[in-house]
Amino acid sequence: GIGHFYRHDLRRTMASFMLSSGSDLSTVGNCLGHTQAQTTKRYAFLMEGVQRAGTERAVERMLGR
């Protein structure tokens, strides 16, 4: 009853959740069995708000807060 579903959808979802939860690209790549970071980047899509939160944390550190 899921409809169109592919095994690789799970890989993309896993990569997105791992990255959005704070795992680094290398860890995600190892989990997926990738040998090159470029391959992992194709699977990895950050969830809404994660990029903004990361940017805000970086700015806070740059400002010494």
Side-chain angles (χ1 to χ4, degrees):
I2 294 177
H4 296 293
F5 177 76
Y6 300 95
R7 191 170 23 168
H8 275 83
D9 293 338
L10 289 175
R11 294 172 66 83
R12 281 188 285 276
T13 301
M14 176 62 82
S16 295
F17 271 87
M18 288 180 72
L19 287 168
S20 294
S21 299
S23 295
D24 60 59
L25 198 62
S26 177
T27 301
V28 174
N30 286 337
C31 182
L32 297 177
H34 295 160
T35 58
Q36 298 191 13
Q38 199 62 28
T39 304
T40 308
K41 286 181 183 180
R42 284 186 283 194
Y43 286 89
F45 300 96
L46 293 176
M47 294 178 173
E48 186 176 329
V50 174
Q51 289 176 325
R52 172 173 281 168
T55 302
E56 289 172 358
R57 282 193 306 272
V59 169
E60 291 296 317
R61 284 190 148 203
M62 285 189 276
L63 296 174
R65 296 181 188 168

